[in-house]
């Protein structure tokens, strides 16, 4: 009998609705869709890290990672990343950023599976990522 | 050794293809993408609850919930909700409906994680939701 | 303590970034988004099975299945299929192909749950599918 617990990093803005940034139950950890918002500043609305794909992607990774860490997980535990882009022309650049980032993270196990699709996102946002992790 | 079983509420229309509205295996329960179709009426094609986002969202929640219940689960077991909207302008209204609905459901654990993206859906449908649950 | 392992069928092209075509950890197996690329030919870029939805869908199924088999799983273990199409007009034809394919696969358990949404995909690709499996 395990409980579902919310994973709420101190850096994160309050979700705009009754959902959790991440949840963990037993050995399953689910990260909600993250975007490139900077760490929350009280009294200010969520602000993207910048207008570029690179800035937003790196901030999105940082936001996913903060939730994983809150749940005692690392990138090595991630089974699946869902990457939502708004423009097929961003695929190559996203992959470059993705590869460089995960090189630097020092994965010790197989990289996660991934699906990338092209959708609409709120104005100003170029990327959204969610993740499913299975802890050891 | 657990079997995968189909979760098929009596209220549901027959899926338009060889898939299940929900499946359960061990402690994992997956709800297929649900839309705002009213309970099935024999001999009639699936009919949305109405043209508005509110009507369709509430019916979609009811359809997801029926599948959860069929599998012995509740909203408290849901780890992840994927919300597909067709229009970014619907985000605020969907959140209002979402919050009000889950207030009323009396969750006793952390709310599920969530990803919302904007995609195409069949004509007349404004929202689709699927859900992953982990049972205790 | 289980390790996450990569599932890399010999038929598959190298992923265009640092992700795995499939991963398995404990009894959870995740298949990355697959498209209708023919088996890899060294020195040649990935090539779709053909321009039609039928050709691409059947090849995509073959690609998903190869990953499942690499992980010791079958279609019967699949809990969820996510089908990404580019055009709502393809829904009926995809369902026909889907039904026929799974009839032929001789499932012995409930068919997987499924969500179908309409997104953008790289030029020339009409369908992408990923899958979550839970092994017995």
């Amino acid at each position: 009998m395990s409980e579902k617990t919310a994973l709420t990093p101190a850096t994160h803005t309050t979700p705009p609705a009754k959902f959790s940034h991440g949840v963990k139950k037993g050995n399953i950890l689910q990260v909600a869709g993250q975007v490139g918002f900077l760490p929350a500043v009280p009294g200010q609305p969520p602000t993207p890290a910048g207008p570029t794909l690179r800035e937003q992607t790196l901030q999105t990774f940082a936001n996913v990672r903060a939730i994983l860490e809150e749940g005692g997980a690392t990138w090595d535990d991630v089974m699946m990343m869902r990457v939502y882009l708004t423009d097929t022309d961003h695929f190559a650049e996203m992959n470059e950023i993705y590869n460089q980032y995960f090189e630097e993270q020092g994965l010790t196990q197989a990289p996660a599976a991934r699906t990338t699709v092209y959708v609409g996102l709120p104005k100003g946002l170029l990327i959204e990522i969610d993740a499913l992790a299975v802890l050891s």
Side-chain angles (χ1 to χ4, degrees), chain A residues 67-89:
Chain A
I67 295 165
L68 293 172
E69 288 177 349
E70 192 78 15
T74 72
W75 286 118
D76 270 328
D77 298 306
V78 176
M79 299 287 285
M80 182 64 165
M81 306 267 282
R82 295 186 180 278
V83 178
Y84 301 98
L85 296 175
T86 58
D87 189 336
T88 53
D89 284 349

Side-chain angles (χ1 to χ4, degrees), chain A residues 91-105:
Chain A
F91 187 59
E93 185 185 355
M94 185 274 290
N95 278 335
E96 261 180 59
I97 301 165
Y98 195 97
N99 288 348
Q100 195 189 337
Y101 179 81
F102 284 107
E103 293 291 342
E104 292 168 7
Q105 296 299 306

